[in-house]
Amino acid sequence: MSVVSHGLPTTGVWAELRGQEQVVEQLRRAAQSGAPTHAWLFTGPPGSGRSNAARAFAAALLCEREALDERGCGTCKACHTVLSGTHADLTNVTTEKVTISIDEARELVRKAQDKPSTGRWRIIIVEDADRMQERSTNVLLKAIEEPPPRTIWLLCAPSPGDVLVTIRSRCRSVGLRLPPVQDVADLLVARDGIDPATAEAVARAAQSHIGVAKRLATDEGARERRNQIVRLPLTLRSVAGAMRAAADLVKLAEAEAQSSFEQRDAEERAALLATLGAPETGTLPPSMRAQIKRLEEDQTRRAKRSKNDYFDRALTDLISFYRDVLMLQVSSGQSLVNEPLRPELEEFARRESAEDTLLRLEAINEVRTRLVSTNVSPLLAIEAMTVSLLSRKDLDR
């Protein structure tokens, strides 16, 4: 597989790391060195491809090619199994819960002691290192500080500050950025067969978040829900209207979350039943029912986290409206995220001041923080936010 970026050609396991030429070069050199650092910390904003970069690096490290300059070919069995998450020497940890428990951390430490079974290295990827509490992180500390000679740790987090300094200081840093819109569009065209016009539009709407862009490109319902969220400020005319808008936003975010994991839940259930050899009709045996119940419990926990993630995404889309308004108010000349709404955005920008827009952006970001860090009711928090988005004259209605 080969995809040409606006910089150097990106091939093999690196093909999906669009707009990350410096990171690819850093990781490629490390994989070809024959003696890579034993612990790495991948950081970058959501959508930058932290986990993809870690998996690509793991594939290059375990690639079956003997020639160092061919490591990460993307065609050998090892590359394929690492990228699909099935390689025997790869442990990929991604939690569907709020935190990674201390017991899970201890299991990772135990796993790290295993010698590689088929490859050169035993590789452990922790996609949500920022979800480890201090006790859990301290369990990993010694294993990362003094790992077995053939074990490599790859940790992922939004920023270096999200990981304890004692861990951070023992890892080599890899910093990713959100790729340019055109790079994301090119990837959607090459990888997913999306037509170029749609690919560019959704890449811009997703603000270069690759996963969100793909969902917008392939799910008409997701595009419509985003459009309703982005247009929400245009509907705010009174306190009562703001309360209704808050309820609508919560429903839209919950509908987006529900649609995203419903299909996944069904596929996981079908796969488990097939693995268990369950009969196509009739009552399941007790042992099978127990495993199905455990799966459903895991899916319920995942759904709770997914809703929080989609609330954050909905608020990020709402922020894009006011970001565009601010760009127009200060005449920045930058392109708009919501270009199809330009006439409405220009009219809105003329009615308000840049100072008002900044206050609204601050109010939305405050709610994003509260939803992540507290147990506040999403509806109550978003009701307070939508009221704060009203203009002064509308507050008097």
Side-chain angles (χ1 to χ4, degrees):
M1 181 179 181
S2 176
V3 180
V4 179
S5 180
H6 298 297
L8 297 173
T10 305
T11 60
V13 299
W14 317 106
E16 293 192 12
L17 298 182
R18 307 307 305 276
Q20 309 288 356
E21 288 81 7
Q22 290 183 339
V23 167
V24 169
E25 184 62 19
Q26 176 187 6
L27 298 177
R28 197 198 306 266
R29 287 179 179 275
Q32 294 173 356
S33 72
T37 304
H38 70 279
W40 298 72
L41 177 60
F42 293 77
T43 60
S48 60
R50 300 185 302 260
S51 301
N52 287 343
R55 280 191 292 273
F57 186 37
L61 291 169
L62 291 170
C63 180
E64 295 170 356
R65 297 293 178 92
E66 291 299 327
L68 290 175
D69 62 354
E70 295 181 1
R71 298 280 170 83
C73 67
T75 58
C76 70
K77 181 180 178 181
C79 284
H80 281 298
T81 53
V82 170
L83 294 178
S84 66
T86 59
H87 195 287
D89 294 323
L90 172 70
T91 299
N92 197 115
V93 180
T94 176
T95 184
E96 303 292 355
K97 299 180 293 185
V98 176
T99 60
I100 295 175
S101 70
I102 193 168
D103 289 337
E104 290 171 315
R106 287 176 178 143
E107 176 60 21
L108 289 179
V109 171
R110 187 200 65 74
K111 195 74 175 176
Q113 306 305 312
D114 293 344
K115 294 181 179 179
S117 59
T118 62
R120 303 178 187 87
W121 309 99
R122 165 73 57 188
I123 299 179
I124 299 178
I125 300 176
V126 183
E127 293 191 20
D128 303 287
D130 56 306
R131 292 184 181 268
M132 287 190 292
Q133 295 178 329
E134 185 171 352
R135 289 179 61 215
S136 300
T137 306
N138 286 335
V139 169
L140 294 186
L141 180 58
K142 187 171 181 61
I144 292 177
E145 193 173 24
E146 301 175 9
R150 309 303 294 177
T151 295
I152 297 177
W153 291 85
L154 309 180
L155 310 181
C156 305
S159 72
D162 291 315
V163 178
L164 286 181
V165 66
T166 48
I167 294 287
R168 187 167 72 240
S169 64
R170 289 160 175 80
C171 296
R172 186 170 175 182
S173 178
V174 179
L176 291 94
R177 59 176 184 139
L178 282 173
V181 166
Q182 192 58 53
D183 279 329
V184 176
D186 290 346
L187 176 61
L188 293 175
V189 172
R191 185 191 66 185
D192 304 306
I194 308 301
D195 73 87
T198 299
E200 183 173 353
V202 298
R204 190 175 304 283
Q207 298 174 74
S208 291
H209 190 303
I210 294 172
V212 173
K214 180 180 178 180
R215 180 162 175 78
L216 291 174
T218 57
D219 187 334
E220 184 178 352
R223 292 196 299 274
E224 178 57 30
R225 284 187 289 272
R226 182 192 180 276
N227 183 54
Q228 290 181 54
I229 290 170
V230 171
R231 297 183 66 88
L232 182 144
L234 300 173
T235 69
L236 297 179
R237 294 290 184 269
S238 65
V239 172
M243 303 293 274
R244 288 193 297 271
D248 289 342
L249 193 151
V250 169
K251 288 178 182 178
L252 288 167
E254 289 180 340
E256 179 67 5
Q258 185 72 21
S259 69
S260 70
F261 57 67
E262 265 184 350
Q263 181 178 357
R264 180 178 173 185
D265 287 355
E267 289 173 350
E268 287 176 345
R269 180 184 174 89
L272 178 58
L273 289 172
T275 301
L276 296 174
E280 294 185 6
T281 59
T283 304
L284 294 176
S287 60
M288 292 185 184
R289 289 203 300 271
Q291 293 192 55
I292 292 295
K293 183 178 180 180
R294 283 196 294 272
L295 173 63
E296 291 172 346
E297 289 172 348
D298 289 341
Q299 290 173 339
T300 299
R301 285 191 291 268
R302 182 174 67 203
K304 181 178 180 181
R305 175 181 164 183
S306 293
K307 285 185 179 181
N308 289 338
D309 291 343
Y310 279 101
F311 278 125
D312 189 73
R313 186 68 225 172
L315 293 174
T316 300
D317 289 332
L318 188 59
I319 283 173
S320 74
F321 177 94
Y322 289 104
R323 175 264 185 203
D324 285 349
V325 168
L326 185 62
M327 293 302 99
L328 292 169
Q329 288 169 331
V330 300
S331 303
S332 72
Q334 293 190 32
S335 58
L336 303 183
V337 173
N338 303 289
E339 185 62 41
L341 286 180
R342 178 177 284 272
E344 292 96 327
L345 290 164
E346 289 177 340
E347 181 182 353
F348 194 98
R350 287 192 292 269
R351 296 202 311 262
E352 307 289 341
S353 69
E355 290 77 9
D356 290 333
T357 303
L358 286 169
L359 288 173
R360 287 164 176 154
L361 286 167
E362 183 179 338
I364 300 170
N365 276 316
E366 183 180 344
V367 172
R368 290 180 66 194
T369 301
R370 290 179 66 195
L371 289 176
V372 171
S373 60
T374 69
N375 290 323
V376 64
S377 161
L379 178 58
L380 291 177
I382 292 173
E383 282 177 344
M385 179 199 73
T386 53
V387 170
S388 73
L389 299 179
L390 290 168
S391 66
R392 294 183 182 87
K393 63 179 181 180
D394 290 332
L395 280 171
D396 296 330
R397 296 183 183 180

